[in-house]
Amino acid sequence: PSAYVFDGIYYETDIERDLIGKVASSTIPKDSLLLKRLVEPKQGAAPSEGILIGKRAFTLPVDAITGVAGMIKVNNLVDVLAHLKDAGGKSGAQSTSSVVMLENLSVLAVGPQAGRRWGARRDAQADISSVTLSVTPEQATLLFQVLKEGSISLMLRRNGDFAPAVPPAVDAQNLMRTIARLRGEAGAGR
């Protein structure tokens, strides 16, 4: 069933099409799933070789807040949180809604990559003015429109956490109910 197929791993059918000419970017434990973010083009390959077939590289402007304080690194997975202004309803007052719009996107680059080997490690003081993600053309279109109409924040995922994040959208009207619900869940977990 499609619910059990994860986009972030290689399957036997992917080997010839996607793995030939690539190398592991870190140690891959024996008998583990082969994660796409752990494989990169050979040194000297063009940056476009790191983009999977059917995907595109899309660069987002970020700062220390929207870019998770510089913690995002090449090959990490991130979720994208969209913040959009609502049309004010009867009162005419505008509010902002936030929703998780995309999940499990692979990070291709952090900051400028010119003159560096694709996927090379960067120092702790690296430029965090941009993050380049691997997305489908449709996802790129959505990201561009949200950037034009609102703003975006990234959320860094823990390695190996592929569970869907399906929280409801949060706006000014349901903010207090959502906080109360979360506080109740946190208290029940003690």
Side-chain angles (χ1 to χ4, degrees):
S2 62
Y4 297 101
V5 175
F6 176 63
D7 187 44
I9 64 172
Y10 286 107
Y11 294 93
E12 281 188 49
T13 56
D14 300 326
I15 292 173
E16 188 173 322
R17 184 186 70 216
D18 293 333
L19 283 175
I20 303 291
K22 296 186 180 175
V23 296
S25 59
S26 63
T27 303
I28 301 171
K30 182 180 177 184
D31 297 326
S32 67
L33 295 174
L34 182 54
L35 302 176
K36 290 180 178 180
R37 61 187 176 82
L38 297 179
V39 178
E40 65 182 28
K42 288 182 185 174
Q43 186 170 356
S48 65
E49 291 298 315
I51 302 168
L52 299 175
I53 294 172
K55 300 281 187 155
R56 306 294 186 268
F58 188 87
T59 302
L60 298 170
V62 295
D63 57 28
I65 304 301
T66 61
V68 195
M71 293 172 43
I72 296 173
K73 306 292 181 218
V74 171
N75 295 325
N76 282 158
L77 293 178
V78 296
D79 294 344
V80 178
L81 189 63
H83 314 286
L84 296 167
K85 288 186 173 47
D86 296 328
K90 292 179 184 177
S91 68
Q94 281 193 338
S95 66
T96 302
S97 292
S98 298
V99 65
V100 176
M101 68 177 277
L102 298 171
E103 301 177 304
N104 289 311
L105 298 180
S106 182
V107 176
L108 297 174
V110 179
Q113 291 287 319
R116 291 185 172 83
R117 183 177 71 81
W118 182 252
R121 302 272 184 240
R122 306 200 37 154
D123 67 2
Q125 301 301 318
D127 173 19
I128 56 165
S129 63
S130 64
V131 172
T132 303
L133 304 175
S134 175
V135 299
T136 65
E138 180 182 25
Q139 291 169 331
T141 304
L142 287 170
L143 287 166
F144 181 80
Q145 194 62 35
V146 170
L147 285 170
K148 188 175 173 185
E149 303 291 332
S151 63
I152 286 176
S153 296
L154 299 178
M155 298 185 295
L156 179 61
R157 279 186 169 259
R158 179 185 170 98
N159 284 340
D161 176 9
F162 307 113
V166 288
V170 177
D171 61 21
Q173 292 180 347
N174 67 11
L175 181 60
M176 295 309 290
R177 286 189 307 270
T178 303
I179 291 171
R181 180 181 54 80
L182 292 174
R183 289 181 74 186
E185 289 173 6
R190 291 183 195 176

